């Protein structure tokens, strides 16, 4: 119990102090007019209040990610608390703040455009592909569960449920942000927050023993904590999906001073939600072996449903039903909207198509494969979502490093988490079944080699920008980009 409550307090303090420090390192310009006004088009560029931007950002990045991922991460025991707290404050919050604010500084640019500006065209093409694939996988993975639950609770068939959800997805992707997303997301946000707060309060006052801190690996199968935990709990610690969502909100931010609340604040909020569900997963089912058996038999949705009913009764059942159906959809719709925006940015100037026609074509181009993939087994999809997600997160951290180096700012705030995630994802791809499936020791050696190569390139870049006369125009001039 002490560990759980202390972790929440540390996350809040992380927002207050470290978030403010990151804001100072980035250096905001409250006097500058943001793209929400400069490019206002009543479609994507629309000024929104900070509270609404925060709410939409939270739902965009959260959904059921910090719920299902945290429950699965609870298999490793209380060490999951450590990863959520440190990862969220030092890595995830930094990642989300820089992705949102750099997008804003570059006129609401999508993530691949930022990659091209700071890392070059070759890596941008790679990032375009990986980002769109990630968006499609997320939309597919997060829609199958709600469709199955709808078909089990109503006369609607699974296939019809998929068609209904994807029809909404297409509409949410092509209609102005303040027509659907800006109106219904605050309601969905209340559901997510009430669900998390209710579970936390009931858990604290239930008298159940929430495990205290330990660095021991309690996974029933003895799977290594590093790097598997860093991929299992991504939403709630650090997630590359977030940098694909931040441009949606960067185009609505009214003032740079709101960035910490909207971007860093949403990440901290998601971390608190992840802590709550990780604690619930560890507390119920008699330990990690019982949790593993329950996940095997009823899946994460069944685990969430059982915890909610036991803690909150009929009210919990309603919350769980609403959460498992609605919250994944709020991630899937903006995933397709982001993919649509990425494709539009890539195709501009390359095809002679009217902007509205291009927008509709791009929406269907990503919606159709997501619809087809949604009929594949969820667990299979989620494995590939995991490592593509963290590859994107790592690239975004390196974009942040290059920005900080270019403008002579304190680059280690992004450099240290970038190096850590580089090592983590390298070992994961070499070790995991969906990667090369090499023995763990071999994967560690291979990951160490990648880490050393990237570290040497980092040092070389540091030395490059340390040379006299290597500075470009001031960072505030990015608004002219």
């Amino acid at each position: 119990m002490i560990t759980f409550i202390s972790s929440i307090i540390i996350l809040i303090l992380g927002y207050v102090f470290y978030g403010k420090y990151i804001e100072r390192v980035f250096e905001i310009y409250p006097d500058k007019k943001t793209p929400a006004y400069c490019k206002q088009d009543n479609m994507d560029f629309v000024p929104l209040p900070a509270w609404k931007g925060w709410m939409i950002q939270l739902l965009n990045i959260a959904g059921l990610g910090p719920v299902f991922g945290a429950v699965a991460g609870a298999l490793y025991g209380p060490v999951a608390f450590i990863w959520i707290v440190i990862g969220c404050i030092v890595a995830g919050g930094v990642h989300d703040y820089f992705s949102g604010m750099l997008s804003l500084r570059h006129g609401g640019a999508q993530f691949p455009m930022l990659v091209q500006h700071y890392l070059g065209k070759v890596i941008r093409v790679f990032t375009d592909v990986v980002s769109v694939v990630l968006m499609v996988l997320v939309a597919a993975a997060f829609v199958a569960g709600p469709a199955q639950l709808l078909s089990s609770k109503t006369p609607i068939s699974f296939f019809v449920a998929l068609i209904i959800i994807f029809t909404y997805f297409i509409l949410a992707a092509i209609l102005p942000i303040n027509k659907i997303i800006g109106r219904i997301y605050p309601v969905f946000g209340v559901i997510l927050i009430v669900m998390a707060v209710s579970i936390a309060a009931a858990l604290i006052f239930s008298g159940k023993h929430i495990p205290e801190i330990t660095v021991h690996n309690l996974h029933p199968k003895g799977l290594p904590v590093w790097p598997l935990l860093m991929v299992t709990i991504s939403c709630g610690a650090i997630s590359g999906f977030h940098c694909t969502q931040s441009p949606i909100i960067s185009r609505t931010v009214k003032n740079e001073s709101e960035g910490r609340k909207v971007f860093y604040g949403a990440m901290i909020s998601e971390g608190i939600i992840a802590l709550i569900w990780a604690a619930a997963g560890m507390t119920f089912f008699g330990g990690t072996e019982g949790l593993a058996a329950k996940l095997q038999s009823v899946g994460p949705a069944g685990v969430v449903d059982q915890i909610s009913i036991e803690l909150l009764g009929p009210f919990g059942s309603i919350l769980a039903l609403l959460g498992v159906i609605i919250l994944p959809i709020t991630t899937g719709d903006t995933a397709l909207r982001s993919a649509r925006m990425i494709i539009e940015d890539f195709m501009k100037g390359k095809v002679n198509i009217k902007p509205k026609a291009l927008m509709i074509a791009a929406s269907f181009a990503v919606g159709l494969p997501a619809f087809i993939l949604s009929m594949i087994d969820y667990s299979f999809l989620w494995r590939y979502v995991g490592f593509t997600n963290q590859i994107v997160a790592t690239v975004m951290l390196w974009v942040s490093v290059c920005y900080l180096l270019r403008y002579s700012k304190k680059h280690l705030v992004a450099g240290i988490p970038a190096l850590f995630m580089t090592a983590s994802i390298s070992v994961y791809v070499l070790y995991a079944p969906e990667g090369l499936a090499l023995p763990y020791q071999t994967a560690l050696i291979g990951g160490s080699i990648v880490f050393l190569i990237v570290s040497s390139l980092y040092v070389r870049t540091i030395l490059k920008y340390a040379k006299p006369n290597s500075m470009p125009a001031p960072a505030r001039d990015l608004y002219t980009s």
Side-chain angles (χ1 to χ4, degrees):
M1 180 74 73
I2 295 175
T3 299
F4 172 58
I5 295 175
S6 299
S7 296
I8 292 177
I9 293 172
I10 293 170
L11 278 179
I12 295 171
L13 292 175
Y15 168 76
V16 173
F17 294 106
Y18 197 70
K20 189 67 177 176
Y21 174 71
I22 294 300
E23 183 182 64
R24 286 201 303 270
V25 170
F26 184 81
E27 191 178 3
I28 61 171
Y29 303 116
D31 59 312
K32 281 286 191 178
K33 189 177 286 189
T34 64
Y37 294 106
C38 297
K39 297 185 175 184
Q40 188 169 355
D41 60 3
N42 295 319
M43 176 64 193
D44 294 318
F45 294 88
V46 181
L48 292 178
W51 71 266
K52 187 174 283 191
W54 169 81
M55 186 76 77
I56 296 173
Q57 176 73 0
L58 177 59
L59 277 168
N60 285 356
I61 67 176
L64 279 179
V67 180
F68 284 7
V71 167
L75 290 171
Y76 293 89
V79 68
F81 291 148
I82 300 174
W83 168 237
I84 291 171
V85 171
I86 296 177
C88 191
I89 295 172
V90 177
V94 173
H95 170 281
D96 286 19
Y97 183 78
F98 276 96
S99 64
M101 294 302 290
L102 283 176
S103 173
L104 184 152
R105 285 279 176 88
H106 287 272
Q110 283 290 315
F111 167 59
M113 290 295 291
L114 299 178
V115 173
Q116 177 174 322
H117 188 85
Y118 291 100
L119 300 179
K121 290 184 179 180
V122 174
I123 299 180
R124 186 263 167 92
V125 173
F126 166 78
T127 305
D128 268 320
V129 175
V130 173
S131 298
V132 172
V133 168
L134 175 60
M135 297 302 96
V136 171
L137 287 173
V138 166
F142 272 28
V143 81
Q148 288 170 352
L149 195 56
L150 271 175
S151 63
S152 68
K153 301 286 185 180
T154 68
I156 300 174
S157 69
F158 173 71
F159 186 74
V160 172
L162 283 180
I163 292 177
I164 293 172
I165 294 171
F166 272 98
T167 299
Y168 161 73
F169 278 4
I170 296 297
L171 290 174
I174 64 177
L175 289 175
I177 191 168
N178 59 342
K179 294 298 182 184
I180 292 184
I181 292 174
R183 292 184 178 182
I184 65 174
Y185 267 40
V187 178
F188 293 165
V190 170
I191 293 173
L192 175 64
I193 293 167
V194 169
M195 186 181 183
V197 171
S198 300
I199 291 295
L203 192 61
I204 290 170
F205 293 107
S206 66
K208 294 182 179 294
H209 174 68
I210 302 176
E212 300 295 350
I213 194 67
T214 175
V215 295
H216 294 299
N217 180 8
L218 301 181
H219 197 287
K221 295 183 179 179
L223 296 178
V225 171
W226 187 76
L228 299 190
L229 181 59
M230 287 71 214
V231 175
T232 303
I233 302 182
S234 53
C235 293
I238 178 172
S239 168
F241 178 70
H242 298 185
C243 70
T244 67
Q245 301 302 290
S246 294
I248 294 177
I249 304 305
S250 76
R251 300 179 180 196
T252 71
V253 172
K254 296 164 71 174
N255 190 286
E256 280 204 4
S257 62
E258 298 174 350
R260 182 168 68 101
K261 304 181 188 74
V262 173
F263 300 114
Y264 199 97
M267 182 67 246
I268 294 295
S269 302
E270 187 186 39
I272 292 173
I273 294 169
L275 276 175
I276 291 168
W277 282 102
M282 294 175 208
T283 302
F284 283 79
F285 314 114
T288 56
E289 290 190 4
L291 173 60
K294 184 61 66 173
L295 284 170
Q296 182 69 31
S297 62
V298 299
V303 168
V304 169
D305 187 53
Q306 184 170 332
I307 291 173
S308 301
I309 293 172
E310 185 168 337
L311 285 177
L312 304 173
F315 175 67
S317 179
I318 295 171
L319 274 181
L321 181 65
L322 288 172
V324 173
I325 290 177
I326 292 175
L327 298 178
I329 294 174
T330 64
T331 301
D333 59 3
T334 50
L336 291 191
R337 189 180 183 92
S338 294
R340 182 265 290 175
M341 292 161 66
I342 289 172
I343 291 175
E344 283 182 293
D345 282 351
F346 183 77
M347 297 303 294
K348 279 178 183 175
K350 296 182 177 67
V351 292
N352 187 22
I353 302 177
K354 291 183 178 179
K356 186 166 286 188
L358 176 59
M359 176 180 67
I360 294 172
S363 299
F364 278 96
V366 293
L368 183 59
F371 177 81
I372 295 170
L373 286 171
S374 65
M375 290 178 268
I376 296 176
D377 178 57
Y378 168 85
S379 60
F380 174 82
L381 286 175
W382 190 246
R383 291 205 307 270
Y384 286 91
V385 168
F387 82 84
T388 54
N389 185 38
Q390 298 304 63
I391 288 173
V392 171
T394 305
V395 173
M396 182 61 229
L397 285 171
W398 285 116
V399 167
S400 305
V401 171
C402 288
Y403 162 78
L404 293 168
L405 282 169
R406 183 174 292 186
Y407 296 101
S408 291
K409 299 178 184 293
K410 297 176 181 178
H411 54 87
L412 287 179
V413 297
I416 291 174
L419 287 171
F420 177 79
M421 290 305 299
T422 297
S424 298
I425 197 61
S426 299
V427 175
Y428 185 89
V429 170
L430 294 171
Y431 173 69
E434 59 271 22
L436 297 181
L438 297 175
Y440 184 59
Q441 296 299 326
T442 305
L444 287 176
I445 294 170
S448 298
I449 294 171
V450 173
F451 174 80
L452 291 173
I453 293 172
V454 173
S455 297
S456 65
L457 292 173
Y458 183 21
V459 172
R460 180 181 175 184
T461 307
I462 292 171
L463 296 174
K464 170 187 172 183
Y465 283 110
K467 292 179 180 179
N469 304 319
S470 63
M471 284 289 295
R476 67 183 291 125
D477 291 348
L478 284 177
Y479 273 105
T480 61
S481 300

